[in-house]
Amino acid sequence: MIDTRNPSRPSRTFSRSYVAPALQSWLDDGGAVEEWLNGRTPLISYARISADRLDGDAIGVGRQHKNNTRNAELHNCAVVLHYEDNNITAAKREVVRPAFVQMCRDITHSREEETGIPVRGCIAVERERVWRLPRDFIAFQDALVMVGNGIFIEDKTLLDLVNDDGTIIAGLVTSGTGEAEVKKVRKRTVRNAKDRAEEGKSYGAPRRFGWLGASKDPYRLGNKHKNEEEWPHLIEMIKARYSGRSWRGITAEINKKKVPTARGGRWSEQGVKAAVTNPAWWGGRVLNGEIVMDSATDNPVIGKWDHATKESDGVDYETWKTIMTGVKANRLHRGMQQSASDSQNTEQLRTRKYKYSGILRCGRINDFEETCYAKLSGNPGTGRNAKYGDYYRCGDPNCKGVGRRVAPVDTYLEGLLLAYMDKHFAGTKVQTTPWRGQDKLATLRKQRKSVKESVANGESEWSDVHDLLTRLARNIKTLENEEKEHLKNEAKRNLLRGWSREKWANMELAEQREVIAQVFASVVVMPIPEGVSDKAPFNPNLLKVSWRKDPAAAQEATKSKGVNQAVSRTDDKEQPTGPGPALELI
């Protein structure tokens, strides 16, 4: 079963699958799937919404499932599984719908992979919920064909997508027409945006910090009128950056004032950058990567919404241009040209090169009297501190931060990890789950070979089998891709099995980070206690380790011989310190 929801970051956009509530209740009472079906054909209820504008837990897809369950009974069918892609469009090629992809795979193999519940097709309130693009129609149709006589029910109507009686052609035409219509709508949208930009009219978007949002009563366009409470803070951020203040310092200052973002959250450096670099505050607009200019005057088109001026706020277009000369990030470099070297350096900064960046967390008390718990990132040693080597450091703008040298931290934590792995995974055997489509793939390959041989022997005409071979080749390719993904997932699942020190030594950095993430939940780095020199020897007791595995077993790993002694005499250069307890290692 799939579930892309993240409890720590709730979002309307997600995909998931689960057993139909009625069947799940039956199974919980000890019943069997076959008994519950009682001769009915098992179907998947597929639900999708392009834009979820309702409050609550996916109310729209829930309504679709309710209708699908009721309509399936009209054809002696029963909904056994719910698959849903919420807040996900089906009209864009670049958008992947995880639930749709998994549904096609499960229909192909006649059953859901994890539970083994049988499926013979799908029901949806309308075909556009399932497909809009020809490629999705073909993928769905192939799945129904490979299952045998797969069933598709649209609302209350049973459609035959398997037999070539004209329905297939109609489906392709409908799908192609839908894609063409989508392209037309996009062109109209782009043309309308260009026209409005050249006319200086306001454009629709989520509410920006510094402006009022849209309102029906009284009627008001969004992002047109100033928010008198937020505007002074926006201007203050702009002036601070213009005067040379760091993004970190600006972010810390506005958070200290407890000024929320447009969405009511706490400011991040990226949020401050986005607000300050957005040309909307001086009346400008970016279209296709360039500032919209007046062809007659070669000056920027000034929008017809409230914006800053030199006379009223002390900042204007020239201020923005000066600020933008120091902006390197592509996605914030609004309409300004960058050199190739700038772009290359930006990409290089994104490369992971430190084993424990992201796992390490800051244990200092921040400006809000809370444990910071921000992620520590690796930094190269530069200037006078270059002799101490690379270091991990907290980057939260509202925290003085803690820092530790990379070398002693990596050595100590690697000792813990290897001791734990040696004790609990050394000698374990790799356990692989056979791929469920092996027999089906072999059958299709055999069929393709047989058809080709019949053509070579003169038993069949190429024109007669061309469409069949095309479909077989497409189905084989689909199954081969699924097999590759299965093998990749199995390798990841068995990452810790068959453990040895040699295996660790031969791993790439990305693989080692995967192992680390499976063993350590986090490592909180505590500040050096008051009165202790920042040049004191590295103290492993200032690292509070949280394990993903059995805590009791983890404690045994920390007691393994030689782990503490291996790094206890290593010097460490600490960042500016503050009060804080020294916690014992878990």
Side-chain angles (χ1 to χ4, degrees):
M1 312 296 276
I2 63 171
D3 192 345
T4 63
R5 295 176 299 175
N6 185 349
S8 63
R9 299 183 66 183
S11 171
R12 292 179 177 179
T13 303
F14 63 82
S15 299
R16 61 174 173 171
S17 63
Y18 53 94
V19 180
L23 175 57
Q24 185 64 63
S25 178
W26 177 271
L27 296 176
D28 292 341
D29 292 336
V33 176
E34 291 75 13
E35 295 174 356
W36 184 80
L37 286 173
N38 193 26
R40 295 176 296 175
T41 303
L43 298 180
I44 290 172
S45 170
Y46 180 76
R48 183 189 64 80
I49 281 182
S50 298
D52 186 357
R53 297 185 177 90
L54 299 175
D55 294 328
D57 186 14
I59 296 174
V61 292
R63 291 170 178 169
Q64 292 181 38
H65 287 312
K66 181 179 66 176
N67 284 288
N68 291 339
T69 301
R70 181 173 58 245
N71 294 335
E73 298 291 342
L74 302 176
H75 299 277
N76 195 33
C77 297
V79 169
V80 292
L81 296 162
H82 288 184
Y83 286 64
E84 54 194 44
D85 289 306
N86 197 63
N87 204 52
I88 300 177
T89 181
K92 297 181 179 179
R93 290 181 175 273
E94 64 273 16
V95 175
V96 177
R97 291 182 287 152
F100 172 78
V101 172
Q102 189 62 43
M103 178 182 70
C104 290
R105 290 179 178 177
D106 290 341
I107 292 176
T108 296
H109 298 289
S110 307
R111 61 186 65 252
E112 198 279 322
E113 185 172 14
E114 183 177 325
T115 62
I117 294 176
V119 293
R120 298 290 299 175
C122 163
I123 181 171
V125 294
E126 59 185 21
R127 67 189 71 182
E128 287 78 14
R129 299 301 97 199
V130 184
W131 76 83
R132 278 187 176 274
L133 303 177
R135 68 163 191 193
D136 292 337
F137 174 82
I138 292 172
F140 179 61
Q141 183 194 53
D142 283 347
L144 296 177
V145 170
M146 282 194 280
V147 78
N149 281 317
I151 294 175
F152 174 59
I153 300 175
E154 180 187 34
D155 193 26
K156 300 177 182 179
T157 306
L158 178 64
L159 301 181
D160 187 356
L161 301 186
V162 175
N163 299 307
D164 191 1
D165 58 358
T167 305
I168 295 176
I169 302 301
L172 284 171
V173 171
T174 302
S175 181
T177 303
E179 184 177 16
E181 183 62 27
V182 169
K183 290 181 179 179
K184 288 182 180 178
V185 172
R186 288 181 185 173
K187 288 182 178 179
R188 291 192 209 110
T189 302
V190 171
R191 186 169 59 250
N192 180 64
K194 182 175 181 295
D195 293 341
R196 293 181 64 84
E198 292 175 349
E199 295 169 4
K201 294 182 178 179
S202 60
Y203 51 98
R207 187 181 84 82
R208 295 192 299 268
F209 182 81
W211 286 268
L212 297 172
S215 174
K216 291 183 179 180
D217 187 19
Y219 177 78
R220 179 181 67 229
L221 290 175
N223 296 321
K224 183 175 177 64
H225 304 284
K226 291 180 183 178
N227 183 319
E228 297 298 338
E229 295 182 1
E230 296 177 349
W231 190 257
H233 298 292
L234 176 60
I235 298 301
E236 185 178 351
M237 288 192 290
I238 294 168
K239 289 181 177 179
R241 182 59 187 175
Y242 179 69
S243 65
R245 189 83 181 273
S246 69
W247 295 114
R248 179 186 174 94
I250 298 171
T251 306
E253 189 63 31
I254 194 169
N255 279 332
K256 286 179 182 178
K257 296 179 179 179
K258 297 184 178 180
V259 178
T261 64
R263 295 187 177 184
R266 187 180 294 176
W267 286 91
S268 65
E269 287 188 46
Q270 289 300 321
V272 171
K273 289 179 183 179
V276 173
T277 61
N278 194 325
W281 61 259
W282 55 265
R285 183 175 177 182
V286 171
L287 196 65
N288 298 326
E290 299 290 340
I291 295 295
V292 178
M293 307 294 285
D294 188 332
S295 58
T297 63
D298 287 334
N299 292 323
V301 174
I302 301 301
K304 299 176 183 178
W305 57 83
D306 293 347
H307 57 269
T309 63
K310 196 71 173 178
E311 294 74 19
S312 62
D313 302 284
V315 290
D316 59 1
Y317 174 50
E318 297 300 325
T319 307
W320 180 82
K321 286 199 299 183
T322 302
I323 291 173
M324 295 304 294
T325 58
V327 175
K328 302 299 182 184
N330 281 322
R331 62 194 182 92
L332 295 178
H333 216 266
R334 304 172 183 274
M336 304 293 288
Q337 297 298 323
Q338 285 183 276
S339 65
S341 59
D342 288 342
S343 299
Q344 184 177 1
N345 292 336
T346 302
E347 294 298 324
Q348 291 176 350
L349 290 175
R350 297 173 183 170
T351 303
R352 289 282 191 180
K353 57 180 292 187
Y354 300 97
K355 289 183 182 179
Y356 293 93
S357 58
I359 296 294
L360 298 175
R361 301 292 183 123
C362 177
R364 185 182 291 277
I365 302 301
N366 61 19
D367 295 338
F368 305 103
E369 300 300 320
E370 304 169 346
T371 301
C372 177
Y373 208 62
K375 294 180 180 179
L376 272 67
S377 58
N379 299 268
T382 57
R384 291 181 299 175
N385 292 325
K387 61 182 178 181
Y388 297 110
D390 295 354
Y391 61 95
Y392 294 111
R393 192 176 191 281
C394 166
D396 189 273
N398 287 96
C399 177
K400 293 181 180 178
V402 297
R404 292 290 189 279
R405 283 182 54 210
V406 167
V409 170
D410 283 9
T411 302
Y412 175 69
L413 293 179
E414 185 167 314
L416 289 182
L417 181 139
L418 294 179
Y420 178 86
M421 297 298 294
D422 289 345
K423 182 175 181 62
H424 298 282
F425 289 94
T428 56
K429 295 182 179 180
V430 174
Q431 298 177 351
T432 58
T433 303
W435 178 53
R436 58 178 174 169
Q438 199 65 55
D439 293 340
K440 185 178 289 290
L441 179 58
T443 300
L444 292 178
R445 285 171 173 167
K446 185 176 180 181
Q447 289 177 359
R448 181 174 63 178
K449 180 180 179 181
S450 177
V451 172
K452 287 183 177 181
E453 288 177 349
S454 68
V455 174
N457 296 333
E459 299 173 359
S460 303
E461 293 293 333
W462 175 254
S463 58
D464 295 336
V465 300
H466 178 268
D467 291 345
L468 176 60
L469 280 175
T470 300
R471 180 183 293 279
L472 284 172
R474 188 170 61 239
N475 294 344
I476 289 172
K477 184 65 175 178
T478 298
L479 291 177
E480 286 175 343
N481 290 337
E482 183 180 338
E483 182 182 26
K484 289 179 182 178
E485 185 173 340
H486 172 80
L487 294 175
K488 181 179 178 181
N489 292 335
E490 285 296 295
K492 185 175 181 180
R493 191 172 65 84
N494 284 288
L495 189 62
L496 304 186
R497 294 187 173 275
W499 176 260
S500 68
R501 298 263 177 145
E502 183 180 0
K503 181 178 180 179
W504 172 261
N506 292 330
M507 283 182 172
E508 299 289 341
L509 177 60
E511 294 176 317
Q512 290 183 342
R513 284 179 57 84
E514 286 187 17
V515 173
I516 292 169
Q518 291 192 38
V519 176
F520 295 133
S522 66
V523 179
V524 178
V525 181
M526 304 303 298
I528 290 179
E530 188 175 4
V532 178
S533 171
D534 61 359
K535 297 181 180 179
F538 172 74
N539 184 359
N541 289 331
L542 294 179
L543 301 184
K544 181 181 177 183
V545 179
S546 297
W547 302 78
R548 290 195 186 279
K549 307 299 178 182
D550 180 18
Q555 285 183 352
E556 293 181 15
T558 64
K559 298 177 183 178
S560 298
K561 295 181 179 180
V563 174
N564 291 349
Q565 290 82 352
V567 292
S568 60
R569 293 183 298 274
T570 306
D571 291 338
D572 179 38
K573 176 67 176 178
E574 170 63 12
Q575 302 298 324
T577 63
L583 300 186
E584 293 297 326
L585 186 65
I586 293 178

